[in-house]
């Protein structure tokens, strides 16, 4: 890592305690396979912690390492390898005795922690020094067939002396979805801090049924995708110089006003009240504001897509426990024409499209799995007007307490490069946090539109 804003103190590797995990091969299910195409996920947690550097190095870091090792005993896929052999052999996760993940300890040399946890617009590169890069995929030794070994996770802890620390994790989605990843984080935090009693993860892939035979279809699609698609290490290149990131907070009162607005519109149009949730109205607001803030917006019939990721655990057709470790996400594409999206009733029209799609996913989960695969394989044609949702306010990100209190802020770093918005619970008094990255001028327009909409809807409600 060559970066003047941080100084690397230590680079090491952490794995489960010796002898605690036997060699294990875990197959990829049809839920996992599409995510082989996904660039690495990057999530950072910032904590306020007013201790000197010596305290961090002598007490905090050793505790983090030991508790991480104990956590990996149960979440060992993160310290395994993703094995990608040539066709017709199938990709899988393989743990062998001694497998580890990279663990970096660094010190911030210039950055003020308060600037990083601000809700104001910040240059997108401000988080880059704290993000670890995954090791490059490597060829399996003594194998001439072209089998690749792909590392699934790297962790960097960055110290801000007398101020706090950042824990940033880069990981591959093919190993775990958001719920499984945050289970891992909270388990690690519980062993490091005061909380105890979290459930162990369930790694049994036999509980994933495939009645529609999606797995062989998805494998065939993966084999036809260039291998370089799966080789990204999370290194960020060529970020536009004017791009900024910002976290917006949609407060509970805003959410309730939006829900009342949409419900009233449904009644006025003689429509059945749809799935009007916090997620639906928040995404409707953000989607409309983002499209209207673009310079080339036209009032025409060009199609826009919001890709909705939904956790299918506990859905009747799957009946998968919440503690299942792996991927269990389905996808639905809410589609709407630009003329409706930017029109007078844009938020209402968006809410209808999103709510209808979520209702469909609740009853057609397997179709949602098919959509996830097609979104990856057809992204070149769909991507022009596609917005992806990442995260969920139901994952309780701000409950990740290592013993230093709740995070001051947590962000999904890759929103700057994946045409996505991130959603999470709120660190304050309730509501939902939305992370987005836009050009500086567009961000100002986006912010103005949001404030205008929320003010109009509050007046409408009164």
């Amino acid at each position: 890592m060559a970066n003047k804003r941080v100084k690397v103190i230590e680079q090491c590797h952490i794995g489960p305690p010796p002898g605690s995990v036997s060699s294990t091969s875990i197959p990829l299910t049809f839920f996992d396979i599409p995510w082989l195409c996904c660039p690495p996920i990057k999530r950072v947690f910032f904590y306020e912690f007013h201790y000197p550097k010596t305290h961090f190095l002598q007490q905090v870091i050793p505790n983090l390492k030991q508790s991480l090792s104990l956590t990996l005993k149960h979440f060992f896929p993160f310290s395994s390898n993703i094995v990608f052999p040539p066709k017709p052999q199938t990709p899988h996760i393989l743990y062998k005795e001694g497998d580890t993940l990279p663990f970096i300890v660094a010190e911030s040399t210039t950055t003020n922690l308060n600037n990083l946890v601000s809700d104001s617009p910040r240059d997108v590169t401000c988080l880059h020094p704290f993000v670890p890069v995954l090791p490059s995929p490597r060829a399996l030794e003594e194998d001439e067939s072209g089998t690749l070994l792909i590392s699934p996770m790297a962790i960097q802890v960055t110290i801000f002396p007398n101020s706090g620390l950042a824990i940033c994790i880069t990981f591959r989605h093919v190993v775990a979805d958001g719920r499984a990843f945050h289970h891992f984080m909270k388990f690690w935090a519980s062993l490091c801090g005061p909380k105890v009693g979290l459930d162990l993860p369930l790694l049994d892939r036999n509980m994933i049924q495939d009645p529609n035979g999606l797995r062989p279809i998805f494998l065939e699609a993966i084999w036809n995708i260039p291998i370089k698609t799966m080789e990204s290490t999370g290194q960020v290149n060529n970020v536009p110089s004017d791009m900024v990131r910002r976290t917006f907070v949609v407060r509970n009162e805003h959410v309730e006003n939006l829900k009342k607005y949409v419900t009233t519109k449904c009644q006025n149009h003689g429509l059945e009240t749809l799935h009007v949730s916090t997620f639906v109205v928040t995404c409707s607001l953000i989607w409309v504001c983002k499209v209207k803030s673009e310079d080339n917006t036209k009032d025409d019939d060009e199609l826009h897509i919001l890709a909705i990721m939904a956790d299918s655990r506990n859905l009747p057709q799957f009946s998968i426990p919440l503690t299942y470790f792996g991927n269990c996400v389905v996808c639905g594409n809410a589609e709407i024409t630009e003329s409706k999206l930017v029109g007078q009733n844009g938020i209402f029209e968006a809410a209808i499209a999103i709510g209808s799609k979520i209702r469909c996913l609740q009853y057609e989960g397997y179709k949602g799995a098919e959509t996830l695969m097609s979104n990856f394989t057809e992204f070149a044609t769909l991507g022009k007007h596609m917005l992806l949702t990442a995260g969920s306010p139901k994952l309780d990100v701000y409950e990740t307490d290592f013993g230093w209190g709740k995070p001051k802020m947590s962000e999904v770093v890759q929103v700057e490069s994946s045409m996505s918005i991130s959603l999470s619970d709120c660190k304050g008094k309730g509501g939902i946090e939305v992370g987005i990255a836009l050009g500086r001028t567009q961000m100002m327009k986006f912010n103005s539109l949001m404030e205008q909409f929320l003010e109009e809807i509050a007046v409408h409600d009164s």
Side-chain angles (χ1 to χ4, degrees):
M1 180 196 310
N3 195 303
K4 294 181 180 179
R5 287 183 282 180
V6 298
K7 179 177 67 176
V8 174
I9 297 173
E10 180 186 8
Q11 298 185 71
C12 62
H13 288 80
I14 307 290
S20 63
V21 181
S22 58
S23 294
T24 306
S25 178
I26 300 176
L28 300 184
T29 72
F30 71 88
F31 280 124
D32 301 318
I33 292 168
W35 295 104
L36 282 164
C37 306
C38 180
I41 306 300
K42 293 169 274 190
R43 163 73 76 170
V44 62
F45 299 80
F46 290 102
Y47 293 90
E48 195 171 51
F49 197 56
H50 298 286
Y51 284 89
K53 178 179 175 180
T54 52
H55 181 82
F56 280 111
L57 296 180
Q58 294 173 8
Q59 296 191 40
V60 175
I61 298 301
N63 192 17
L64 282 172
K65 289 180 180 179
Q66 181 184 31
S67 55
L68 175 60
S69 177
L70 294 173
T71 300
L72 290 172
K73 174 183 177 181
H74 306 291
F75 294 83
F76 62 85
F78 279 138
S79 61
S80 304
N81 281 293
I82 304 159
V83 182
F84 195 90
K87 183 180 179 181
Q89 300 177 74
T90 58
H92 55 279
I93 298 168
L94 179 63
Y95 176 81
K96 288 187 175 181
E97 172 72 28
D99 281 348
T100 58
L101 59 80
F103 186 89
I104 300 166
V105 180
E107 178 183 2
S108 175
T109 56
T110 60
T111 308
N112 185 303
L113 182 62
N114 291 330
N115 294 337
L116 293 170
V117 300
S118 167
D119 289 336
S120 59
R122 293 153 293 149
D123 189 294
V124 290
T125 63
C126 70
L127 299 182
H128 293 180
F130 316 110
V131 181
V133 175
L134 292 169
S136 298
R138 64 193 189 281
L140 180 63
E141 293 182 7
E142 301 178 0
D143 183 294
E144 298 180 358
S145 65
T147 297
L148 281 182
L149 297 180
I150 304 172
S151 298
M153 179 176 278
I155 298 175
Q156 179 175 323
V157 179
T158 304
I159 300 167
F160 298 80
N162 301 305
S163 182
L165 78 162
I167 299 177
C168 188
I169 299 90
T170 302
F171 73 100
R172 297 190 186 275
H173 206 307
V174 66
V175 173
D177 60 15
R179 184 171 294 279
F181 167 72
H182 286 289
H183 186 187
F184 160 78
M185 288 301 299
K186 290 185 179 69
F187 197 97
W188 179 18
S190 73
L191 295 185
C192 189
K195 295 184 179 181
V196 293
L198 286 183
D199 292 331
L200 295 176
L202 298 174
L203 284 79
D204 182 10
R205 293 303 196 264
N206 291 325
M207 64 179 63
I208 303 295
Q209 302 300 309
D210 185 14
N212 294 356
L214 297 178
R215 188 172 186 270
I217 297 172
F218 291 178
L219 281 170
E220 196 64 42
I222 286 294
W223 285 323
N224 290 327
I225 292 175
I227 191 67
K228 65 180 181 180
T229 305
M230 289 157 256
E231 293 182 346
S232 171
T233 61
Q235 185 77 50
V236 179
N237 298 304
N238 303 321
V239 177
S241 59
D242 71 331
M243 183 171 278
V244 294
R245 63 184 305 125
R246 184 172 180 183
T247 299
F248 290 89
V249 178
V250 183
R251 295 293 181 192
N252 283 337
E253 58 268 26
H254 298 147
V255 171
E256 292 307 312
N257 288 341
L258 286 164
K259 287 180 179 180
K260 291 176 184 177
Y261 170 80
V262 172
T263 300
T264 301
K265 284 280 188 180
C266 284
Q267 294 169 348
N268 292 344
H269 285 74
L271 298 175
E272 176 187 358
T273 301
L274 295 170
H275 181 90
V276 185
S277 65
T278 298
F279 178 88
V280 168
V281 296
T282 302
C283 286
S284 299
L285 174 68
I286 301 303
W287 196 11
V288 169
C289 291
K290 182 181 182 300
V291 174
K292 293 191 77 168
S293 68
E294 295 170 356
D295 291 334
N296 59 347
T297 301
K298 302 173 184 176
D299 188 13
D300 61 18
D301 292 328
E302 202 158 9
L303 205 61
H304 284 256
I305 297 171
L306 181 74
I308 304 162
M309 306 298 172
D311 185 357
S312 59
R313 293 170 178 82
N314 285 351
L315 286 183
Q317 63 265 51
F318 297 122
S319 298
I320 299 168
L322 289 176
T323 52
Y324 172 75
F325 182 88
N327 283 284
C328 203
V329 172
V330 293
C331 180
N333 288 347
E335 300 180 354
I336 188 171
T337 61
E338 188 166 294
S339 58
K340 287 186 175 181
L341 203 56
V342 302
Q344 184 177 358
N345 294 317
I347 291 177
F348 168 61
E349 297 284 1
I352 291 176
I354 298 169
S356 298
K357 183 53 61 177
I358 289 177
R359 180 169 288 183
C360 288
L361 286 175
Q362 291 174 339
Y363 298 101
E364 300 177 4
Y366 287 104
K367 187 174 181 180
E370 294 174 16
T371 302
L372 182 61
M373 186 74 247
S374 62
N375 276 358
F376 280 120
T377 56
E378 300 171 22
F379 186 79
T381 53
L382 294 174
K384 181 180 179 183
H385 291 308
M386 177 180 276
L387 183 64
L388 311 175
T389 59
S392 167
K394 295 182 179 180
L395 296 179
D396 295 331
V397 172
Y398 284 94
E399 297 302 315
T400 311
D401 184 354
F402 284 82
W404 321 305
K406 297 180 180 182
K408 293 293 291 183
M409 179 168 280
S410 180
E411 296 196 68
V412 175
V413 180
Q414 75 274 4
V415 293
E416 68 199 41
S417 56
S418 59
M419 290 186 290
S420 63
I421 57 172
S422 66
L423 305 168
S424 78
D425 52 310
C426 187
K427 64 185 175 184
K429 297 180 180 180
I432 182 169
E433 285 190 3
V434 181
I436 190 169
L438 300 168
R440 190 173 295 276
T441 301
Q442 186 182 357
M443 184 68 82
M444 292 174 62
K445 190 174 181 181
F446 177 90
N447 181 55
S448 177
L449 285 165
M450 263 194 67
E451 291 179 347
Q452 177 185 335
F453 275 128
L454 291 174
E455 183 177 336
E456 289 176 356
I457 289 171
V459 172
H460 177 275
D461 182 60
S462 61

